[in-house]
Amino acid sequence: MANCHKLFLKFNTLIALKSKQKERLRVSRNAIRDRIRRYFQNKQNGFFPKFHGQGSLIMNTIIEPLDREFDIDDGIYLKVEAKPIQSVSRLHQWIWEAINGHTKQNPIDKQTCVRLVYAGQYHLDLPIYYIIEGQTPYLAHKSKGWIKSDPREFIKWFNEKADNDGQLKRIVRYLKAWSDYSKGDLPSGLIFSILAANNIVFDERDDIALYKTLLNIKSSLKRSFVCYRPTIPADENLLEDYSKTNKDYFLEQLGSFIQSAEKALDEKTSQKDACKAWQRHFGEDRFPFESYVNTEEFIENRFSIDIRYELKIDCLVSQQGFRPHSLIEMILSRLPLLRGKNLKFYIVDCNVPKPFQVKWKVRNVGEEATRRDQIRGQILNDSGNHQKNESSLFHGAHFVECYIIKDNICVARSRIDVPIKFPE
């Protein structure tokens, strides 16, 4: 099984917004805040706006998109004792006037916010809320009027779902990067954040965690194609307006992504082909490519060692039309092990009292193994019959090891060399 965990961590550093960029955004955002404060002070309309960052920048799930034009959100909160007498449109107009002229492009008055565009860089969305002490904020929506909405609660909800290692936030970034690279329309970052948080499967490796999370998301959407906002406005289905075309496209792309992930994680897939499988959905120029990664694992790093029992393994070498031979007997008889043979490694003798676990390691060595990206060396669980089936694919001084694990301790181990030769 190709292990792309380290490549995913590298990918995460490539797509995540850099600390210097974040600092520039904060400086720019603070300048806008000051400008809005001055506007309201000069207008003397009785409002003293407060601000609260929201969205992916505050949640630390923001990515740098391929077109380099990302968005950040900064909520404007008007603390009042009662619902403002001013209309939603009037408040939108005030914010528009406050920031107009700050950039070359005029602000854009949208349904849920006023957008300030920094051409070729990013845009800043400014939603407007009124809030009465101890109550839920209301968002100024141009077509729906004042609607209950509290993005601060969503941030709290998401952070409570997040793990200390940051894997959930990385998974959200990977999903956003997939959406960013996709030619069609995939869900928003908000939807992906909810789907990921509700379906996350944590794992030591990001590639496995992403695959299992994708499976859960697909299974959930197959049961019911919905994505409910977990906070106010309550019971809002963010996928409600999806057309059948968009729904089918999303599920089709999700299925394709899962198929590529399965190929990348297949035991027979090389590191090179695993990278290519992920690149199909993230881009060749974006997802790191590494033709060879040393994936060898060592039993000493996973379990305590106390060899107190006997273990012996052998290998049955067979080919259609020929009688099977013991690999140990072949080596003693100096018979060559050629390519194209079927190899069945099995336990010959073991005096470890049950119950116990059996684990195997197959290690390929040599120039051809490196060229084929088939060095391998991961420690894998036994399939249940105390056997390991392989093939003599290419030349090299390979070996197979077997371990017996009891009470989380390696109590027996055995090794057999597998010297595969070119035919004479």
mmCIF file of all heavy atoms in Angstrom, residues 257-283:
data_model
loop_
_atom_site.group_PDB
_atom_site.id
_atom_site.type_symbol
_atom_site.label_atom_id
_atom_site.label_comp_id
_atom_site.label_asym_id
_atom_site.label_seq_id
_atom_site.Cartn_x
_atom_site.Cartn_y
_atom_site.Cartn_z
ATOM 1 N N PHE A 257 -13.754 10.504 -7.150
ATOM 2 C CA PHE A 257 -12.715 10.795 -6.160
ATOM 3 C C PHE A 257 -12.464 9.563 -5.286
ATOM 4 O O PHE A 257 -11.316 9.198 -5.002
ATOM 5 C CB PHE A 257 -13.161 11.983 -5.312
ATOM 6 C CG PHE A 257 -12.042 12.690 -4.585
ATOM 7 C CD1 PHE A 257 -10.725 12.309 -4.720
ATOM 8 C CD2 PHE A 257 -12.335 13.765 -3.750
ATOM 9 C CE1 PHE A 257 -9.705 12.972 -4.046
ATOM 10 C CE2 PHE A 257 -11.338 14.442 -3.070
ATOM 11 C CZ PHE A 257 -10.017 14.035 -3.218
ATOM 12 N N ILE A 258 -13.518 8.904 -4.867
ATOM 13 C CA ILE A 258 -13.402 7.716 -4.021
ATOM 14 C C ILE A 258 -12.695 6.588 -4.771
ATOM 15 O O ILE A 258 -11.832 5.889 -4.205
ATOM 16 C CB ILE A 258 -14.796 7.271 -3.544
ATOM 17 C CG1 ILE A 258 -15.335 8.273 -2.508
ATOM 18 C CG2 ILE A 258 -14.745 5.872 -2.939
ATOM 19 C CD1 ILE A 258 -16.780 8.044 -2.130
ATOM 20 N N GLN A 259 -13.029 6.414 -6.056
ATOM 21 C CA GLN A 259 -12.368 5.378 -6.849
ATOM 22 C C GLN A 259 -10.867 5.626 -6.937
ATOM 23 O O GLN A 259 -10.059 4.695 -6.820
ATOM 24 C CB GLN A 259 -12.971 5.324 -8.253
ATOM 25 C CG GLN A 259 -14.342 4.683 -8.313
ATOM 26 C CD GLN A 259 -14.877 4.604 -9.736
ATOM 27 O OE1 GLN A 259 -14.289 5.147 -10.672
ATOM 28 N NE2 GLN A 259 -16.008 3.933 -9.905
ATOM 29 N N SER A 260 -10.476 6.877 -7.142
ATOM 30 C CA SER A 260 -9.047 7.214 -7.212
ATOM 31 C C SER A 260 -8.374 6.966 -5.876
ATOM 32 O O SER A 260 -7.226 6.493 -5.810
ATOM 33 C CB SER A 260 -8.877 8.667 -7.632
ATOM 34 O OG SER A 260 -9.320 8.865 -8.955
ATOM 35 N N ALA A 261 -9.078 7.307 -4.788
ATOM 36 C CA ALA A 261 -8.519 7.079 -3.455
ATOM 37 C C ALA A 261 -8.313 5.590 -3.204
ATOM 38 O O ALA A 261 -7.290 5.176 -2.635
ATOM 39 C CB ALA A 261 -9.437 7.682 -2.398
ATOM 40 N N GLU A 262 -9.277 4.775 -3.633
ATOM 41 C CA GLU A 262 -9.151 3.330 -3.466
ATOM 42 C C GLU A 262 -7.957 2.798 -4.249
ATOM 43 O O GLU A 262 -7.212 1.938 -3.755
ATOM 44 C CB GLU A 262 -10.436 2.637 -3.919
ATOM 45 C CG GLU A 262 -11.598 2.843 -2.963
ATOM 46 C CD GLU A 262 -12.905 2.297 -3.506
ATOM 47 O OE1 GLU A 262 -12.969 2.046 -4.740
ATOM 48 O OE2 GLU A 262 -13.860 2.146 -2.716
ATOM 49 N N LYS A 263 -7.763 3.308 -5.441
ATOM 50 C CA LYS A 263 -6.605 2.884 -6.233
ATOM 51 C C LYS A 263 -5.309 3.300 -5.552
ATOM 52 O O LYS A 263 -4.354 2.514 -5.472
ATOM 53 C CB LYS A 263 -6.666 3.495 -7.635
ATOM 54 C CG LYS A 263 -5.455 3.125 -8.495
ATOM 55 C CD LYS A 263 -5.526 3.740 -9.878
ATOM 56 C CE LYS A 263 -4.279 3.357 -10.690
ATOM 57 N NZ LYS A 263 -4.303 3.967 -12.040
ATOM 58 N N ALA A 264 -5.274 4.539 -5.053
ATOM 59 C CA ALA A 264 -4.059 5.041 -4.406
ATOM 60 C C ALA A 264 -3.704 4.230 -3.170
ATOM 61 O O ALA A 264 -2.523 4.053 -2.850
ATOM 62 C CB ALA A 264 -4.238 6.507 -4.032
ATOM 63 N N LEU A 265 -4.713 3.719 -2.477
ATOM 64 C CA LEU A 265 -4.484 2.989 -1.232
ATOM 65 C C LEU A 265 -4.392 1.482 -1.426
ATOM 66 O O LEU A 265 -4.144 0.758 -0.459
ATOM 67 C CB LEU A 265 -5.609 3.304 -0.237
ATOM 68 C CG LEU A 265 -5.672 4.758 0.237
ATOM 69 C CD1 LEU A 265 -6.944 5.011 1.037
ATOM 70 C CD2 LEU A 265 -4.449 5.106 1.082
ATOM 71 N N ASP A 266 -4.576 1.025 -2.666
ATOM 72 C CA ASP A 266 -4.498 -0.408 -2.927
ATOM 73 C C ASP A 266 -3.081 -0.916 -2.662
ATOM 74 O O ASP A 266 -2.097 -0.243 -2.967
ATOM 75 C CB ASP A 266 -4.881 -0.696 -4.383
ATOM 76 C CG ASP A 266 -5.033 -2.190 -4.642
ATOM 77 O OD1 ASP A 266 -4.011 -2.858 -4.886
ATOM 78 O OD2 ASP A 266 -6.174 -2.674 -4.591
ATOM 79 N N GLU A 267 -3.008 -2.097 -2.109
ATOM 80 C CA GLU A 267 -1.713 -2.670 -1.736
ATOM 81 C C GLU A 267 -0.791 -2.844 -2.934
ATOM 82 O O GLU A 267 0.430 -2.793 -2.807
ATOM 83 C CB GLU A 267 -1.944 -4.030 -1.051
ATOM 84 C CG GLU A 267 -0.680 -4.662 -0.497
ATOM 85 C CD GLU A 267 -0.972 -5.955 0.254
ATOM 86 O OE1 GLU A 267 -2.050 -6.032 0.877
ATOM 87 O OE2 GLU A 267 -0.133 -6.862 0.212
ATOM 88 N N LYS A 268 -1.365 -3.039 -4.119
ATOM 89 C CA LYS A 268 -0.554 -3.300 -5.315
ATOM 90 C C LYS A 268 -0.153 -2.022 -6.049
ATOM 91 O O LYS A 268 0.589 -2.079 -7.029
ATOM 92 C CB LYS A 268 -1.326 -4.215 -6.262
ATOM 93 C CG LYS A 268 -1.634 -5.589 -5.677
ATOM 94 C CD LYS A 268 -2.422 -6.443 -6.657
ATOM 95 C CE LYS A 268 -2.760 -7.801 -6.066
ATOM 96 N NZ LYS A 268 -3.559 -8.635 -7.016
ATOM 97 N N THR A 269 -0.648 -0.869 -5.603
ATOM 98 C CA THR A 269 -0.362 0.386 -6.297
ATOM 99 C C THR A 269 0.987 0.943 -5.869
ATOM 100 O O THR A 269 1.284 1.023 -4.673
ATOM 101 C CB THR A 269 -1.463 1.426 -6.007
ATOM 102 O OG1 THR A 269 -2.715 0.904 -6.448
ATOM 103 C CG2 THR A 269 -1.177 2.737 -6.726
ATOM 104 N N SER A 270 1.783 1.334 -6.835
ATOM 105 C CA SER A 270 3.095 1.918 -6.533
ATOM 106 C C SER A 270 2.925 3.339 -6.012
ATOM 107 O O SER A 270 1.871 3.961 -6.170
ATOM 108 C CB SER A 270 3.958 1.940 -7.793
ATOM 109 O OG SER A 270 3.441 2.865 -8.745
ATOM 110 N N GLN A 271 3.990 3.850 -5.408
ATOM 111 C CA GLN A 271 3.971 5.219 -4.906
ATOM 112 C C GLN A 271 3.727 6.200 -6.049
ATOM 113 O O GLN A 271 2.974 7.171 -5.906
ATOM 114 C CB GLN A 271 5.299 5.538 -4.214
ATOM 115 C CG GLN A 271 5.327 6.841 -3.437
ATOM 116 C CD GLN A 271 4.561 6.726 -2.137
ATOM 117 O OE1 GLN A 271 4.338 5.644 -1.635
ATOM 118 N NE2 GLN A 271 4.162 7.865 -1.591
ATOM 119 N N LYS A 272 4.332 5.939 -7.169
ATOM 120 C CA LYS A 272 4.183 6.805 -8.333
ATOM 121 C C LYS A 272 2.735 6.848 -8.808
ATOM 122 O O LYS A 272 2.173 7.925 -9.048
ATOM 123 C CB LYS A 272 5.089 6.296 -9.468
ATOM 124 C CG LYS A 272 4.991 7.076 -10.761
ATOM 125 C CD LYS A 272 5.936 6.483 -11.789
ATOM 126 C CE LYS A 272 5.831 7.209 -13.128
ATOM 127 N NZ LYS A 272 6.728 6.620 -14.141
ATOM 128 N N ASP A 273 2.120 5.678 -8.933
ATOM 129 C CA ASP A 273 0.732 5.626 -9.405
ATOM 130 C C ASP A 273 -0.234 6.187 -8.369
ATOM 131 O O ASP A 273 -1.286 6.741 -8.726
ATOM 132 C CB ASP A 273 0.354 4.191 -9.765
ATOM 133 C CG ASP A 273 1.026 3.714 -11.037
ATOM 134 O OD1 ASP A 273 1.451 4.579 -11.834
ATOM 135 O OD2 ASP A 273 1.158 2.491 -11.238
ATOM 136 N N ALA A 274 0.098 6.035 -7.087
ATOM 137 C CA ALA A 274 -0.743 6.615 -6.036
ATOM 138 C C ALA A 274 -0.751 8.134 -6.146
ATOM 139 O O ALA A 274 -1.799 8.777 -6.043
ATOM 140 C CB ALA A 274 -0.254 6.182 -4.667
ATOM 141 N N CYS A 275 0.419 8.710 -6.371
ATOM 142 C CA CYS A 275 0.503 10.166 -6.557
ATOM 143 C C CYS A 275 -0.343 10.614 -7.743
ATOM 144 O O CYS A 275 -1.065 11.608 -7.667
ATOM 145 C CB CYS A 275 1.957 10.594 -6.767
ATOM 146 S SG CYS A 275 2.997 10.472 -5.310
ATOM 147 N N LYS A 276 -0.259 9.864 -8.824
ATOM 148 C CA LYS A 276 -1.027 10.208 -10.023
ATOM 149 C C LYS A 276 -2.529 10.129 -9.752
ATOM 150 O O LYS A 276 -3.302 10.947 -10.267
ATOM 151 C CB LYS A 276 -0.657 9.271 -11.178
ATOM 152 C CG LYS A 276 0.727 9.532 -11.761
ATOM 153 C CD LYS A 276 0.990 8.605 -12.937
ATOM 154 C CE LYS A 276 2.338 8.917 -13.579
ATOM 155 N NZ LYS A 276 2.615 8.017 -14.725
ATOM 156 N N ALA A 277 -2.936 9.154 -8.949
ATOM 157 C CA ALA A 277 -4.359 9.017 -8.634
ATOM 158 C C ALA A 277 -4.868 10.229 -7.867
ATOM 159 O O ALA A 277 -5.957 10.744 -8.135
ATOM 160 C CB ALA A 277 -4.591 7.745 -7.819
ATOM 161 N N TRP A 278 -4.089 10.710 -6.908
ATOM 162 C CA TRP A 278 -4.496 11.903 -6.152
ATOM 163 C C TRP A 278 -4.432 13.145 -7.024
ATOM 164 O O TRP A 278 -5.264 14.055 -6.906
ATOM 165 C CB TRP A 278 -3.599 12.073 -4.928
ATOM 166 C CG TRP A 278 -3.769 11.017 -3.867
ATOM 167 C CD1 TRP A 278 -2.834 10.136 -3.420
ATOM 168 C CD2 TRP A 278 -4.960 10.737 -3.110
ATOM 169 N NE1 TRP A 278 -3.353 9.317 -2.444
ATOM 170 C CE2 TRP A 278 -4.653 9.667 -2.227
ATOM 171 C CE3 TRP A 278 -6.246 11.275 -3.090
ATOM 172 C CZ2 TRP A 278 -5.589 9.137 -1.341
ATOM 173 C CZ3 TRP A 278 -7.183 10.741 -2.204
ATOM 174 C CH2 TRP A 278 -6.860 9.696 -1.343
ATOM 175 N N GLN A 279 -3.443 13.194 -7.916
ATOM 176 C CA GLN A 279 -3.284 14.374 -8.773
ATOM 177 C C GLN A 279 -4.467 14.562 -9.722
ATOM 178 O O GLN A 279 -4.737 15.680 -10.156
ATOM 179 C CB GLN A 279 -1.988 14.262 -9.576
ATOM 180 C CG GLN A 279 -0.740 14.535 -8.751
ATOM 181 C CD GLN A 279 0.532 14.358 -9.563
ATOM 182 O OE1 GLN A 279 0.550 13.649 -10.573
ATOM 183 N NE2 GLN A 279 1.597 15.000 -9.134
ATOM 184 N N ARG A 280 -5.175 13.500 -10.029
ATOM 185 C CA ARG A 280 -6.366 13.613 -10.887
ATOM 186 C C ARG A 280 -7.376 14.587 -10.302
ATOM 187 O O ARG A 280 -8.132 15.237 -11.041
ATOM 188 C CB ARG A 280 -7.031 12.248 -11.040
ATOM 189 C CG ARG A 280 -6.395 11.308 -12.043
ATOM 190 C CD ARG A 280 -7.315 10.122 -12.267
ATOM 191 N NE ARG A 280 -8.629 10.546 -12.744
ATOM 192 C CZ ARG A 280 -9.728 9.806 -12.648
ATOM 193 N NH1 ARG A 280 -9.674 8.623 -12.052
ATOM 194 N NH2 ARG A 280 -10.884 10.258 -13.107
ATOM 195 N N HIS A 281 -7.388 14.713 -8.996
ATOM 196 C CA HIS A 281 -8.420 15.525 -8.331
ATOM 197 C C HIS A 281 -7.865 16.774 -7.653
ATOM 198 O O HIS A 281 -8.635 17.623 -7.211
ATOM 199 C CB HIS A 281 -9.166 14.660 -7.315
ATOM 200 C CG HIS A 281 -9.760 13.441 -7.927
ATOM 201 N ND1 HIS A 281 -10.992 13.444 -8.562
ATOM 202 C CD2 HIS A 281 -9.273 12.179 -8.055
ATOM 203 C CE1 HIS A 281 -11.231 12.229 -9.036
ATOM 204 N NE2 HIS A 281 -10.217 11.453 -8.736
ATOM 205 N N PHE A 282 -6.538 16.875 -7.611
ATOM 206 C CA PHE A 282 -5.922 18.065 -7.021
ATOM 207 C C PHE A 282 -5.066 18.850 -8.011
ATOM 208 O O PHE A 282 -4.750 20.008 -7.764
ATOM 209 C CB PHE A 282 -5.043 17.677 -5.821
ATOM 210 C CG PHE A 282 -5.802 17.107 -4.654
ATOM 211 C CD1 PHE A 282 -5.448 15.894 -4.113
ATOM 212 C CD2 PHE A 282 -6.869 17.799 -4.099
ATOM 213 C CE1 PHE A 282 -6.135 15.366 -3.029
ATOM 214 C CE2 PHE A 282 -7.569 17.282 -3.016
ATOM 215 C CZ PHE A 282 -7.194 16.063 -2.486
ATOM 216 N N GLY A 283 -4.693 18.209 -9.116
ATOM 217 C CA GLY A 283 -3.866 18.880 -10.118
ATOM 218 C C GLY A 283 -2.421 18.425 -10.070
ATOM 219 O O GLY A 283 -1.836 18.290 -8.989
#
